[in-house]
Amino acid sequence: MPPSSDRGATGAPPALAASAVPGEPGTALEALLANLPGMAYRCRNDARCTVLFVSDGCRELLGFEPAQLFGQDAVNYDELVHPDERAAVRGRMERALAERRGYELRYRIRTLDGQEKWVSDRGRGVYSADGELQTIEGFVSDITEQKRVEAALCEHDEMVSLAFRNARDMMLLARVESGPTLRVQSVNRRYVDVVRATGFMVTAEQLVGRTFSELRALFGFSEATWEPLLRRYRMVVETKQPIHYDESTETPHGLFHGASTISPIVDDQGVCRFVMYASADVTSRKRAEEALRESEEKFAKAFRACPGAMAITEPEGRGFVEVNDGYTRIFGYSREEFIGAKASDLGLWADARQRDRFYELLRTEGRVWEMEVDSRRKDGTALVCLMSAETLLLGGRKCLVIALYDITDRKRAEAALRESEEKFSKAFRAVPDAVFITEIPSGRVVDVNEGCFRLYGYRREECIGRTTMELDLFFNPADRERVFETLRTRGGSLRELSV
């Protein structure tokens, strides 16, 4: 949200301000915004950055009621921004608006109850037809957990990538040499899988040891494509700060889209020795393994810092040797309760057949990759997880490293979506009135119910793919334009319009 050192005297226009006050009716858009995990806002482009609208998400994000951000006694958002970052945040936002581009700001805030949070503030200016900046609107979301993960990654040493063997994201570790020249130190299996899936038929052996300039020749990228990537890596080396960006790269099989981060790995003398590239493939989202090549000490450090759920056990489930914080969060047991205990004693396996299948796969194939299993928390709550496992030597003894990914919410959401779609389909067919689903603005019919036949005489197969004008549904063509104009001016909905 745009910070301003002198915001606050005037409130929002009554219609807008009322829509943001809890308990009063608002538009369908405001109802949607109220359920998003964050805070939407709109403010004027004046000296005070007068707040015109703020969604109900400000309660969870800031601890304030929406009404507290309006009027003479409005909370000054600028004072919630960490004092070390106010000037930089304001300057970056003002530059973006002056250049007529959107902005994405990351900074710390202090909530009503004194908590410090990291937020991502993405916004843009709204301009009049003659180019004058009129209002500023955007969305603020809580990224505290994401920043915690990033901080943990920055503390890892030069071989931290090996601790993420079971990570679902693409990983590349590059060594910083004089120049600076960047040379590939290692890549994980997910990286190679995604690169090959996008049409670059290379192997890990062809990548490791090459400089970035050699990689450009290997992939056949143009200078215009490659130079922006190199600038990002150089900036990370120079500033020793991570960079986050949305990546879209042209490949032989089309665009690759990724949510990417480049992070520095700095030694005790403050010198950036390595940079770590991590990218979540938002196109396929498939987990790949990373090559595990680190010593026991390096692995242990990364194991503890890893934000995901990981555990080390004796073979055949004879007892837990170690668990990280992610594992205790998922199951609700403390580390002390896990160490030495068996998964069966704690009741983690909800299905004994899945347990037997898991250990059978380990015996026959030597590893398990993303096996879906049913489990239980300490309080008895059911969980659905993807489990991966592989053996390793720890202190000269054979152990099992396990990685878990909780997909309980995803499975519930999929079930709820199926149920919702079924309910909608039944209601759509059963309603006695004529109901049309059409494209906007073409008016092409996507579906109709039986009421259409009763009212207009058209059967469903006669309507699908034709426009409402082709079906001659409007006696007066001007009525069609009036319907769409009413939809535009009333936020996408209308009731009982006579045509």
Side-chain angles (χ1 to χ4, degrees), residues 227-246:
E227 188 57 31
L229 175 64
L230 282 181
R231 282 201 297 268
R232 291 192 182 102
Y233 279 91
R234 290 168 184 152
M235 184 178 298
V236 170
V237 173
E238 292 169 3
T239 64
K240 302 179 183 64
Q241 296 295 322
I243 289 179
H244 317 271
Y245 62 100
D246 295 328

Side-chain angles (χ1 to χ4, degrees), residues 248-270:
S248 295
T249 304
E250 189 69 38
T251 73
H253 290 174
L255 278 177
F256 163 77
H257 299 283
S260 304
T261 297
I262 303 175
S263 302
I265 300 177
V266 182
D267 64 16
D268 294 337
Q269 287 73 44

Side-chain angles (χ1 to χ4, degrees), residues 163-171 188-194 279-281 284-290 306-310 330 367-372 384-389 401-407 410:
F164 291 90
R165 186 173 182 84
N166 291 298
R168 298 171 64 85
D169 295 345
M170 298 171 64
M171 294 281 184
N188 71 344
R189 192 173 303 174
R190 178 63 170 167
Y191 185 96
V192 176
D193 288 346
V194 173
S279 183
D281 179 5
S284 60
R285 294 229 179 244
K286 295 292 184 180
R287 186 187 300 241
E289 293 184 331
E290 299 176 16
C306 179
M310 298 187 72
I330 285 183
R367 61 190 290 271
V368 175
W369 178 248
E370 291 191 345
M371 175 180 173
E372 185 173 314
V384 182
C385 299
L386 291 179
M387 177 180 286
S388 299
V401 59
I402 297 174
L404 284 180
Y405 181 62
D406 186 0
I407 60 170
R410 189 185 81 187

Side-chain angles (χ1 to χ4, degrees), residues 424 428 435-439 443-449 464 466:
F424 173 81
F428 178 80
V435 180
F436 287 76
I437 300 176
T438 67
E439 297 176 348
R444 191 171 303 279
V445 176
V446 177
D447 204 355
V448 299
N449 68 350
I464 303 302
R466 301 174 66 187

Side-chain angles (χ1 to χ4, degrees), residues 129-156:
D130 59 3
E132 181 182 357
L133 178 61
Q134 294 182 320
T135 59
I136 304 169
E137 57 187 29
F139 192 82
V140 182
S141 56
D142 187 349
I143 59 168
T144 305
E145 180 62 17
Q146 179 180 340
K147 294 296 291 186
R148 188 190 70 79
V149 173
E150 294 167 359
L153 289 174
C154 290
E155 295 172 358
H156 292 175

